[in-house]
Amino acid sequence: MTCPLLYRFRTIDKIAEPPNPVMVRGTLIHAVLERLFDDPAPQRTLEHAVSMVPAQWAQLLADNPDLADLFDADAKSDGATRADETEWLASCTAFLDQYFRMEDPQYLEPESRELTVNHELDSGLVLRGIVDRVDVAPDGRIRVVDYKTGKSPNPRFEDKALFQMKFYALVIWRTRGIIPTLLQLMYLGDGQFLRYEPEEAELLATENKMRALWAAIAASIEAGEFAPRKGPLCGWCSFKALCPEWGGTPPPMPVSVEAPAA
């Protein structure tokens, strides 16, 4: 939806991207907030969450050794140092502090964290995603929660931000037979909530949109063409050197790619 060519580079060509400190920090904070609920409620304090950061960072490095390049002076032209890594880790504290200002995890017992959800449509298309947190009230009401380490969007772009949440709500509805009562985005960058109560008609529209998107992907594969879409996010793209909008030339499509069945 953002850029068909970016989708191709990431999903079809599978071109490796250099690690981004901002995105990796988001992954680290997500890991801390996930593991925080492993501990008994009285231990879920800001101080404890901050103390978890080094260990969770070590685990991320163990799982993804390439992340060490973020602060490897030999691998970076700007000469990143160990001091940079220490400062970067310390920057996580502000986001965790903001989280604790928004809610108190001592009073929460999530049903699921980092929950993989999937559902196969009649067409054979499989919808799959990973939900940060699912809360279920005693009366069965479901709240879907997603953490964002950026700032909340301008109201004009809230629908775009909510698309991911409606997708999660759709898959949960199809697998559990219950429409989530509340979709909640938590923006740790500025302490704002974006909450939405989905309705059945909207989730059906989301399902139809997914079918249409997949049909567009199939058509692009069949034609061997994924058009670039220039926009404000291009400044953060790793593939500008390969993008025609920036004077680049995409590599040939992988020969093994076939259009998916309708």
Side-chain angles (χ1 to χ4, degrees):
M1 292 168 60
T2 301
C3 174
L5 185 59
L6 175 61
Y7 171 85
R8 184 206 135 174
F9 287 154
R10 284 179 171 170
T11 308
I12 296 177
D13 296 78
K14 300 185 185 299
I15 301 175
E17 298 179 73
N20 180 295
V22 173
M23 294 182 66
V24 175
R25 182 175 58 193
T27 300
L28 175 56
I29 291 170
H30 275 72
V32 171
L33 293 178
E34 178 192 1
R35 306 315 307 179
L36 182 66
F37 287 98
D38 287 342
D39 297 313
Q43 295 181 23
R44 299 173 199 159
T45 64
L46 172 60
E47 293 73 19
H48 180 55
V50 171
S51 73
M52 295 169 64
V53 170
Q56 290 303 313
W57 174 230
Q59 185 62 55
L60 279 180
L61 284 173
D63 295 339
N64 305 276
D66 290 347
L67 294 182
D69 290 346
L70 281 173
F71 306 104
D72 184 350
D74 293 331
K76 294 173 68 67
S77 60
D78 59 3
T81 65
R82 181 62 60 180
D84 295 324
E85 181 178 4
T86 301
E87 182 179 346
W88 178 81
L89 287 172
S91 71
C92 294
T93 299
F95 293 93
L96 293 172
D97 178 70
Q98 189 65 264
Y99 167 74
F100 277 83
R101 293 175 184 271
M102 298 175 74
E103 67 178 13
D104 189 341
Q106 294 186 357
Y107 295 96
L108 296 170
E109 292 298 339
E111 183 219 57
S112 306
R113 291 163 282 144
E114 293 296 310
L115 174 68
T116 298
V117 294
N118 61 77
H119 172 68
E120 184 174 342
L121 300 180
D122 294 340
S123 64
L125 174 62
V126 177
L127 307 180
R128 183 180 294 111
I130 300 177
V131 185
D132 286 348
R133 199 177 88 207
V134 176
D135 301 331
V136 179
D139 61 4
R141 289 176 298 161
I142 297 175
R143 177 172 64 182
V144 181
V145 179
D146 193 76
Y147 309 119
K148 300 293 185 185
T149 49
K151 294 183 178 180
S152 56
N154 183 292
R156 293 179 299 166
F157 302 107
E158 287 183 354
D159 285 345
K160 183 175 180 180
L162 285 168
F163 177 76
Q164 170 192 4
M165 302 300 283
K166 291 178 182 179
F167 175 88
Y168 293 154
L170 167 64
V171 180
I172 289 173
W173 174 36
R174 290 306 194 195
T175 54
R176 301 191 184 196
I178 301 173
I179 294 178
T181 302
L182 184 66
L183 310 179
Q184 177 173 290
L185 284 160
M186 300 178 65
Y187 289 92
L188 308 185
D190 57 7
Q192 298 297 311
F193 290 95
L194 178 54
R195 296 185 173 103
Y196 192 78
E197 298 179 8
E199 297 181 356
E200 180 176 329
E202 293 174 301
L203 299 188
L204 289 173
T206 300
E207 189 172 71
N208 288 333
K209 186 169 187 175
M210 297 308 303
R211 290 191 179 97
L213 283 171
W214 191 245
I217 292 169
S220 293
I221 292 175
E222 186 70 27
E225 182 177 347
F226 284 80
R229 184 174 299 152
K230 198 170 185 178
L233 297 180
C234 289
W236 288 271
C237 183
S238 303
F239 305 113
K240 289 172 70 173
L242 300 175
C243 179
E245 291 287 346
W246 298 92
T249 302
M253 282 273 290
V255 295
S256 60
V257 177
E258 296 181 359

